[in-house]
Amino acid sequence: MVDMGDLTGRVAIVTGGAGGIGRAVCETLAYHGAIVCPADMSVEICQPVVEAVEALGGTCYPVAMDVIELENVQRAFKEVNDKFGHIDILVNIAGILSGDKVHEVTPEHWDKMIDINLRGVHYCMQTAVPYMAANGGGSVVSVSSQAGQVGGWMGSVAYSASKGGILAMTKGYARQCQQYHIRFNDVAPGLIATPLTAARGDKPDGIPVGRLGTGQDIANAIYFLASDLSSFIDGATIDLNGGQFMRS
Ligand SMILES: NC(=O)c1ccc[n+]([C@@H]2O[C@H](COP(=O)([O-])OP(=O)(O)OC[C@H]3O[C@@H](n4cnc5c(N)ncnc54)[C@H](O)[C@@H]3O)[C@@H](O)[C@H]2O)c1
């Protein structure tokens, strides 16, 4: 029987790879055999991820990438492709979280949220397509949020809009890129325990399973969507929220 979950030899770019969820994703993809390239604001902040992946016996090649600068994104993809000869998996995690209230959404706040969380994902997807098409296909997984479906834990406005945009954009990319055998899917996390949520003191109130999610919970689903285990899934969203929100 073929191991459909084996990622040996596949090259994965993980934006936001130095962050809480990003690190768990890099470790998990590497555990299953992928060469992982965390792409974050600097190579230096990816160093703990490099050490963690190498401790697993994996290969980790960090690249500096600011997702809101198109030339920056294109340079990072080229660097990875020049180094390894192909790009098979893209995981879009880079993002900023905000519980913005209606009166707090200044034009500057709106632009920053949409630029990083939505335009940045578009730039990475758009840049990935020709590389993956040239290589016979690939898998793209983006991290949206429960906020993108229900308006947010704290009633965020711009953040919810940016994450809801990812859900719609993913379907658009999926429809247009089926001819290239590139699949596009999302995960929509609820409240996940990362440094970001720890700083806010978030508690599992209202989460039926009685705990916050972990980076590993998210990484497990991203691994599934990135691998051939999910080869019949395209344009879909997996909800990862401990039963807090159930779609009809
Ligand atoms: N933690 C949660 O509860 C939760 C819930 C739902 C969705 N999410 C989403 O998951 C993703 C990761 O969240 P996290 O909790 O790991 O946060 P985190 O802050 O630990 O990680 C985010 C990473 O993105 C990077 N980043 C930010 N702006 C960037 C840019 N312009 N270019 C490149 N990299 C950039 C940061 O440097 C950081 O390493 C975010 O998109 C967030 O919206 C998180």
Side-chain angles (χ1 to χ4, degrees), residues 16-22 39-41 45 65-68 93-97 116-117 143-146 159 163 189-192 194-197:
I21 293 173
D40 212 304
M41 296 302 287
I45 64 170
M65 180 200 285
D66 183 344
V67 296
I68 66 171
I93 303 177
I96 51 174
L97 196 58
I116 297 177
N117 287 3
V143 177
S144 173
S145 172
Q146 186 177 337
Y159 179 74
K163 292 297 184 180
L191 204 50
I192 308 304
T194 65
L196 199 149
T197 49

Side-chain angles (χ1 to χ4, degrees), residues 40-221:
D40 212 304
M41 296 302 287
S42 74
V43 166
E44 287 70 31
I45 64 170
C46 297
Q47 201 48 39
V49 181
V50 174
E51 287 165 19
V53 168
E54 288 179 350
L56 290 169
T59 302
C60 189
Y61 182 80
V63 285
M65 180 200 285
D66 183 344
V67 296
I68 66 171
E69 301 291 341
L70 180 57
E71 286 182 8
N72 215 277
V73 171
Q74 291 171 335
R75 180 202 42 72
F77 272 75
K78 184 175 183 311
E79 183 181 334
V80 170
N81 194 65
D82 286 350
K83 173 88 178 160
F84 297 107
H86 49 100
I87 297 167
D88 309 285
I89 295 165
L90 165 65
V91 185
N92 292 303
I93 303 177
I96 51 174
L97 196 58
S98 163
D100 46 44
K101 302 287 183 244
V102 171
H103 65 278
E104 294 169 347
V105 185
T106 61
E108 294 74 25
H109 176 85
W110 175 268
D111 285 350
K112 186 176 178 192
M113 201 56 65
I114 300 296
D115 280 354
I116 297 177
N117 287 3
L118 187 56
R119 188 155 61 87
V121 174
H122 161 60
Y123 282 168
C124 291
M125 287 178 168
Q126 188 182 46
T127 304
V129 166
Y131 287 109
M132 291 184 175
N135 192 35
S139 179
V140 178
V141 187
S142 300
V143 177
S144 173
S145 172
Q146 186 177 337
Q149 298 159 306
V150 300
W153 180 254
M154 294 168 292
S156 53
V157 175
Y159 179 74
S160 300
S162 71
K163 292 297 184 180
I166 290 176
L167 298 176
M169 187 168 68
T170 291
K171 292 179 172 58
Y173 266 93
R175 287 184 193 285
Q176 287 196 39
C177 296
Q178 284 161 339
Q179 59 184 313
Y180 306 125
H181 309 290
I182 307 172
R183 297 183 298 112
F184 290 81
N185 294 292
D186 300 309
V187 295
L191 204 50
I192 308 304
T194 65
L196 199 149
T197 49
R200 288 195 321 224
D202 289 321
K203 296 195 170 50
D205 306 337
I207 302 177
V209 303
R211 66 171 177 88
L212 268 60
T214 64
Q216 193 61 54
D217 289 323
I218 310 307
N220 291 342

